[in-house]
């Protein structure tokens, strides 16, 4: 049996491997783009120092861009997730709604939401409503399908046991159905985080006055590859932070679930 000290040492070894891999990427990046010895010209692929200098020189703008991008991502992600779960539950618990809404959900699901950007620009301009709807629809399409499947996969014996013990409908929903589907939604929600950032970038490319996507587009026009790569790095950091936060929150909510 592994002792707490042994577990701690094992975790330290694993964390060391993660640190080594990250440092290895940065060392390789530095060597590839180093002046004189680099394989790639810095103007094509900027060096770490160039990216740091770009972050310092654009610090007054980056903060505003990060705020707008995160605001769009979080609002669309939360709204799309909540609506997807609610509609998925309503469809599963009401046969009339299922036959009414399911054909619409299934027919619209394969359509790329990003294809609606030109229409959103015509309908809503470059304001926030179009970007919000774009992210919301993209997240909704994924969550509603996964919610329906998660509810269908709930073991009937759990519901029957609750009914046998005298549980009311609201108790079955809050004590059995909802806790059962949350673990199944962790993966889809994490996927939606990445999709939210993708849709926000596309929306900001098409029309915006602020945001990381807008900053990358402006830098491309001036051929400022260091600012472009800074934007890419920032998107990676922000996406990782949001994903980690959601993963920790959902794992806390499902801490009763056995995991391999």
């Amino acid at each position: 049996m592994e002792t707490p000290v042994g577990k701690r040492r094992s975790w330290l070894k694993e964390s060391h491997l993660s640190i080594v891999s990250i440092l290895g990427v940065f060392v390789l990046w530095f060597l590839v783009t180093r002046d004189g010895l680099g394989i790639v010209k810095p103007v094509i692929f900027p060096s770490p120092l160039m990216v740091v200098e770009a972050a310092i020189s654009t610090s007054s703008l980056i903060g505003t861009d990060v705020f707008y991008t995160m605001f769009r991502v979080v609002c669309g992600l939360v709204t799309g997730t909540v609506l997807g779960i609610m509609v998925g539950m309503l469809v599963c618990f009401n046969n009339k709604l299922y036959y009414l809404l399911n054909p619409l959900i299934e027919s619209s699901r394969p359509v790329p939401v990003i294809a609606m950007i030109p229409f959103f620009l015509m309908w809503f301009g470059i304001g926030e409503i179009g970007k919000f709807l774009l992210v919301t629809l993209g997240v909704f399409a994924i969550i509603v399908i996964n919610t329906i499947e998660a509810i269908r996969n709930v073991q009937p014996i759990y519901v029957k046991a609750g009914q046998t013990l005298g549980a009311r409908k609201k108790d079955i929903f809050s004590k059995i159905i909802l806790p059962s589907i949350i673990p199944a939604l962790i993966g889809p929600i994490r996927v939606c985080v990445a999709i939210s950032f993708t849709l926000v970038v596309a929306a900001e490319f098409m029309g915006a006055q602020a945001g990381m996507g807008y900053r990358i587009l402006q830098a491309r026009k001036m051929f400022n590859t260091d600012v472009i790569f800074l934007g890419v790095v920032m998107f990676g950091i922000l996406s990782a932070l949001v994903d980690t936060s959601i993963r920790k929150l959902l794992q806390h909510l499902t801490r009763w679930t056995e995991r391999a």
Side-chain angles (χ1 to χ4, degrees), residues 7-192:
K7 290 182 179 180
R8 190 180 303 112
R9 289 176 179 174
S10 176
W11 179 85
L12 288 174
K13 291 180 181 179
E14 292 174 356
S15 64
H16 289 165
L17 290 176
S18 300
I19 295 173
V20 168
S21 66
I22 295 173
L23 290 177
V25 170
F26 275 95
V27 170
L28 180 62
W29 179 14
F30 174 78
L31 293 176
V32 168
T33 58
R34 186 180 179 185
D35 291 335
L37 299 176
I39 301 174
V40 182
K41 294 181 180 180
V43 70
I44 298 176
F45 191 73
S47 65
L49 182 59
M50 292 175 62
V51 175
V52 172
E53 291 175 348
I56 295 173
S57 62
T58 60
S59 58
S60 59
L61 301 174
I62 293 298
T64 302
D65 292 331
V66 168
F67 170 79
Y68 277 98
T69 296
M70 288 299 296
F71 175 77
R72 293 158 183 160
V73 167
V74 172
C75 289
L77 179 64
V78 172
T79 306
T81 300
V82 172
L83 289 178
I85 294 175
M86 290 176 61
V87 172
M89 289 181 174
L90 289 174
V91 165
C92 285
F93 292 116
N94 191 308
N95 288 333
K96 292 182 180 179
L97 282 177
Y98 176 81
Y99 288 107
L100 178 65
L101 297 179
N102 190 61
L104 300 177
I105 295 172
E106 290 296 333
S107 60
S108 61
R109 181 172 57 87
V111 178
V113 180
I114 201 171
M116 295 295 295
I117 289 180
F119 288 103
F120 285 176
L121 286 175
M122 289 188 292
W123 296 340
F124 308 109
I126 62 174
E128 298 301 319
I129 296 178
K131 300 177 183 62
F132 168 74
L133 290 178
L134 186 71
V135 178
T136 300
L137 288 176
V139 173
F140 172 82
I142 296 174
I143 296 299
V144 67
I145 295 297
N146 282 276
T147 300
I148 293 172
E149 292 301 319
I151 293 176
R152 286 177 175 174
N153 290 325
V154 174
Q155 296 294 329
I157 191 172
Y158 297 154
V159 178
K160 292 178 181 179
Q163 292 172 340
T164 302
L165 295 173
R168 293 173 293 181
K169 287 185 177 180
K170 67 176 184 178
D171 295 324
I172 292 176
F173 169 76
S174 61
K175 303 295 184 181
I176 298 176
I177 301 296
L178 192 58
S180 297
I181 67 173
I182 290 179
L185 293 178
I186 293 178
I189 292 176
R190 293 184 64 190
V191 171
C192 286

